[in-house]
Amino acid sequence: MSVLYIRGGNPLEGELTVQGAKNSVLPILAACLLADRPVTILNCPQLTDVTAALAILRSLGCTAWQEGHTVTVDPAGASGCAISEEQMRSMRSSILFLGPLLARMGEAHLTYPGGCELGPRPIDLHLGALRAMGISVREDYGIHCCGRPSGGEVVLSLPSVGATENAMLCAVGGTGVTTIQNAAREPEISDLQQFLNTLGAHVCGAGSSTVTVEGGHPLRGGSFAVMGDRIVAATLLAAVAAAGGSVRLSGVAWRHLSPVVSVLHQAGCRVRSAEDWVALQRDPQIPLKGVATVRTAPYPGFPTDAQAPVMAALAGSCGCTLFVETIFDSRYRHVPELCRMGADITTEGRVALVRGVPRLHGAGVEAADLRGGGALAVAAVGAEGTTVLSGLQHIDRGYESLEYMLSALGGQAERRER
Ligand code: UD1
């Protein structure tokens, strides 16, 4: 079993280019199924979720490989219309293959996706969107869909990121015009729109609550560079807030980070930014302050994925902060682990009260989910002594070598076999 040894107490300093966004590349990889020629994806992070998506593409008959940060997918040989239970369970985003599979094959058979560590993650909105496009959906020991998308009006009761993406991916491969109302507005949806349009699709409105897709435009091959990962950037900024120091992150759009940056600014950090970089500075001698309630919300609100890392930073502060998680039911699994490091945090349902303590201390802790793992690393760089962090299978889904990132900024982090 691999673990991370993280020795805290040193300020972080330096510059780093942030990896490509996991939440952007996963729907883009699913979209490759719709192309008729090879697609090259640049700035693709090296993550186990990407490996899982490439395995699904291969099982469907595509040729797909990754060399460094470049992925090439040749969908010419795609022929399958079923995804195995094992592959569906390998990650939550396996469900994003449903829309493109239907659009390409007119038929799709799969099981419910994995990745339930944040509480129940239904897919009713995904299936409702497909039904609104004329697809017949049967749930019977799995999900069985057939029909070709022929346009329609999709109205989402919640702005689900995945359901918006699945609806877009199905609609571009079909005919007719599809409108998606109450669409999620996350930047990764705009990146998906840009990718699809680069390949020849006609999609507009991403970033607003109404996305319109004009079907009937075949997707050609092409090449596309994935946007920078705003959640990895948020985690690193939280790490600098926890440890003190001065770091500049490039390759990430500052405006995508503004709710997180605003909280860290309130906590006493100094922030500078331009369009594609952000710099954060915190004097290690001056403790962080507690901030006004942090309430997670769909974009452009405070991202649920940044809740745990920012909480970890504020666990070592001189004040109290209340967190309200409004997106997922079970997103405080990092809290007991932070408490093992000396944090004083109590939770009740979707609310967590952080009573800041002057300093956390190292401990043996285990990540229970991806961003919770990022949070424990944030706590560890700010803590006194050494933390041994396990549960790396969660962390490696979304952080490309977290130990490298922390070391590149002068932190002491090392992966060891145990
Ligand atoms: C995506 C992100 C994830 C992030 C989340 C919220 C990817 C690969 N993952 O996940 O990192 O935490 O957005 O920003 O992009 N819901 C339903 N029915 C559905 C679908 C969703 O009730 O059919 C609910 C969910 O249970 C949750 C809320 O809607 O409470 C938001 O989920 P959603 O936006 O769909 O998240 P994901 O796309 O799974």
Side-chain angles (χ1 to χ4, degrees):
M1 179 182 72
S2 302
V3 293
L4 288 188
Y5 276 73
I6 302 177
R7 193 168 170 74
N10 296 328
L12 299 180
E13 305 282 346
E15 289 195 30
L16 192 71
T17 303
V18 174
Q19 70 178 61
K22 169 181 88 70
N23 289 356
S24 180
V25 79
L26 294 177
I28 285 175
L29 285 171
C32 289
L33 202 52
L34 292 166
D36 58 10
R37 275 171 258 172
V39 179
T40 305
I41 299 161
L42 308 170
N43 199 31
C44 178
Q46 293 177 309
L47 303 170
T48 51
D49 268 10
V50 168
T51 308
L54 296 180
I56 292 177
L57 283 167
R58 280 188 216 107
S59 76
L60 293 169
C62 303
T63 310
W65 68 96
Q66 177 161 20
E67 269 176 45
H69 294 114
T70 302
V71 161
T72 309
V73 180
D74 184 350
S79 58
C81 61
I83 302 178
S84 72
E85 178 161 10
E86 193 190 343
Q87 288 187 321
M88 286 303 295
R89 282 185 184 277
S90 64
M91 62 168 176
R92 162 82 185 173
S93 295
S94 53
I95 194 65
L96 296 177
F97 284 87
L98 178 56
L101 201 51
L102 265 168
R104 179 146 186 164
M105 304 297 172
E107 196 182 340
H109 305 276
L110 30 86
T111 64
Y112 295 93
C116 61
E117 64 266 4
L118 308 180
R121 294 181 76 172
I123 54 165
D124 54 318
L125 302 177
H126 298 241
L127 301 182
L130 300 181
R131 286 192 177 102
M133 281 182 252
I135 304 293
S136 132
V137 179
R138 189 168 53 88
E139 290 182 80
D140 178 13
Y141 290 105
I143 304 152
H144 307 278
C145 300
C146 66
R148 301 251 177 210
S150 53
E153 182 164 8
V154 173
V155 182
L156 298 176
S157 56
L158 289 168
S160 154
V161 174
T164 302
E165 291 167 343
N166 231 337
M168 288 165 73
L169 292 173
C170 193
V172 285
T175 54
V177 174
T178 304
T179 54
I180 306 165
Q181 307 285 2
N182 198 23
R185 295 155 63 191
E186 267 67 3
E188 292 76 15
I189 298 203
S190 304
D191 215 36
L192 178 61
Q193 169 177 290
Q194 237 182 308
F195 169 76
L196 292 169
N197 289 346
T198 301
L199 264 58
H202 289 201
V203 185
C204 64
S208 78
S209 297
T210 306
V211 175
T212 306
V213 179
E214 191 182 296
H217 300 279
L219 294 201
R220 303 178 297 263
S223 131
F224 186 79
V226 172
M227 63 181 270
D229 196 312
R230 65 194 168 99
I231 305 303
V232 170
T235 305
L236 294 173
L237 294 178
V240 188
S246 174
V247 163
R248 179 176 142 135
L249 302 177
S250 54
V252 67
W254 128 259
R255 66 179 195 288
H256 296 161
L257 283 163
S258 58
V260 174
V261 160
S262 142
V263 167
L264 296 176
H265 175 71
Q266 275 181 61
C269 301
R270 197 167 153 242
V271 186
R272 289 174 303 119
S273 60
E275 200 180 328
D276 62 351
W277 61 263
V278 56
L280 187 136
Q281 202 178 352
R282 207 268 282 175
D283 182 341
Q285 305 309 320
I286 303 175
L288 290 174
K289 298 177 278 197
V291 301
T293 301
V294 178
R295 188 180 298 272
T296 64
Y299 191 84
F302 187 93
T304 173
D305 288 351
Q307 174 257 107
V310 169
M311 183 186 290
L314 290 169
S317 66
C318 63
C320 293
T321 303
L322 201 62
F323 283 80
V324 183
E325 170 58 54
T326 73
I327 310 288
F328 291 109
D329 282 340
S330 180
R331 207 150 200 192
Y332 288 139
R333 294 175 70 191
H334 49 285
V335 167
E337 301 301 290
L338 289 175
C339 291
R340 290 167 72 94
M341 299 176 72
D344 181 356
I345 306 173
T346 43
T347 61
E348 201 176 314
R350 290 184 166 208
V351 177
L353 173 62
V354 178
R355 293 181 198 85
V357 297
R359 195 104 208 221
L360 303 184
H361 54 76
V365 289
E366 181 171 2
D369 60 61
L370 166 60
R371 304 305 169 189
L376 296 175
V378 167
V381 292
E384 198 94 55
T386 300
T387 294
V388 182
L389 172 54
S390 58
L392 302 192
Q393 73 279 12
H394 297 294
I395 294 176
D396 293 339
R397 285 184 39 230
Y399 294 96
E400 180 180 318
S401 186
L402 191 50
E403 67 276 22
Y404 165 79
M405 293 185 226
L406 296 175
S407 307
L409 297 174
Q412 291 184 40
E414 198 188 327
R415 186 176 295 239
R416 291 190 204 160
E417 286 308 314
R418 203 168 63 169

